[in-house]
Amino acid sequence: MSEPTEKPQRLRVVVADDQAAVREPLAAVLGLSEDIDVVAAAANGNEVLTAVAAGPVDVVLMDLRMPGMDGIEATRRLGDEHPEVAVVVLTTFADDDSILGALGAGARGYLTKNAGRQDITRAIRAAAAGQSVLDREVQDRLLATVRTRAPAPGKTLPDDLTPREREVLTLIGQGLPNRGIAEMLFISEATVKTHINNLFAKAAIRDRAEAVRRAIEAGLA
């Protein structure tokens, strides 16, 4: 007799949006995924914090413009009080202040509301696994902003980065996701993750947004 197949661990998600007409259908659609449980819905940052405290929660799908405590402040508070909880921003806004504010507060993903269900579920899974997902519009805007604000290229990276780690950082700076990097370098995504973890540790890089900035400052992108 064959062993029963183990079911994948279900991710516990909080959906935060101040508009019920957005929040409720989104929660219902995400609940159809085989590995996602929507455990709470929140209309503002205070409700997010309450839901996470009642936990457990793996990922918060966070709107930015909400009354009371907004999404950026809620993301910052989650990073301080519940660092194990990942945040994926889902918002209408893709301006510089919103993108940099959310990523600076610790969001692991940033999607606009043009994203489809598959994009959103993929970002949730990636964030739960410690990865970052930015949609193409956000990547392009972030790259343009960082290039505008970056100082002249100089020595901003440690000497002990391997050639492969520099290649990976270069491709991150060009906006490629892990899968794209793996395809470019003919290696597995798991190997890409290992290189990213190593270079982040060596260069004291906190997240993918900072990696893009450091790549540009070093003249790699």
Side-chain angles (χ1 to χ4, degrees):
M1 179 182 296
S2 61
E3 294 292 331
T5 302
E6 185 177 349
K7 293 184 178 180
Q9 180 179 354
R10 296 178 68 85
L11 298 174
R12 297 156 297 202
V13 175
V14 172
V15 174
D17 196 292
D18 64 322
Q19 297 183 45
V22 174
R23 182 175 66 245
E24 294 171 3
L26 181 57
V29 168
L30 291 177
L32 298 175
S33 302
E34 65 177 8
D35 59 343
I36 292 176
D37 282 328
V38 177
V39 297
N44 55 54
N46 289 311
E47 291 185 10
V48 169
L49 295 177
T50 298
V52 170
V57 172
D58 299 303
V59 179
V60 176
L61 191 61
M62 185 84 76
D63 188 21
L64 290 186
R65 307 289 174 89
M66 297 184 290
M69 184 187 298
D70 66 17
I72 291 177
E73 178 60 23
T75 299
R76 186 175 294 110
R77 289 277 300 275
L78 286 174
D80 292 339
E81 301 171 17
H82 302 278
E84 74 284 359
V85 177
V87 173
V88 174
V89 170
L90 180 65
T91 181
T92 305
F93 304 96
D95 58 280
D96 294 351
D97 288 343
S98 296
I99 295 170
L100 296 175
L103 296 178
R108 288 188 192 164
Y110 197 113
L111 303 176
T112 64
K113 289 183 177 176
N114 294 325
R117 175 189 167 190
Q118 290 186 338
D119 297 321
I120 296 170
T121 55
R122 182 164 56 246
I124 288 171
R125 293 171 187 133
Q131 303 168 29
S132 297
V133 174
L134 309 177
D135 72 17
R136 175 55 60 183
E137 178 184 358
V138 172
Q139 283 185 4
D140 292 345
R141 189 75 181 242
L142 180 61
L143 286 169
T145 300
V146 173
R147 286 194 174 103
T148 299
R149 299 184 183 183
K155 184 178 177 182
T156 64
L157 298 173
D159 293 330
D160 60 345
L161 288 187
T162 67
R164 181 63 93 188
E165 288 163 359
R166 285 180 175 272
E167 285 182 308
V168 169
L169 183 57
T170 297
L171 296 174
I172 290 175
Q174 294 172 3
L176 269 68
N178 287 2
R179 179 176 299 178
I181 295 172
E183 291 172 352
M184 287 287 293
L185 299 180
F186 301 102
I187 58 179
S188 69
E189 285 191 63
T191 302
V192 171
K193 292 176 190 176
T194 298
H195 288 312
I196 289 174
N197 289 338
N198 289 340
L199 75 88
F200 276 27
K202 289 178 181 179
I205 295 173
R206 184 183 63 178
D207 54 33
R208 212 172 185 95
E210 183 178 352
V212 171
R213 177 178 62 79
R214 295 284 292 278
I216 293 170
E217 289 176 352
L220 298 178

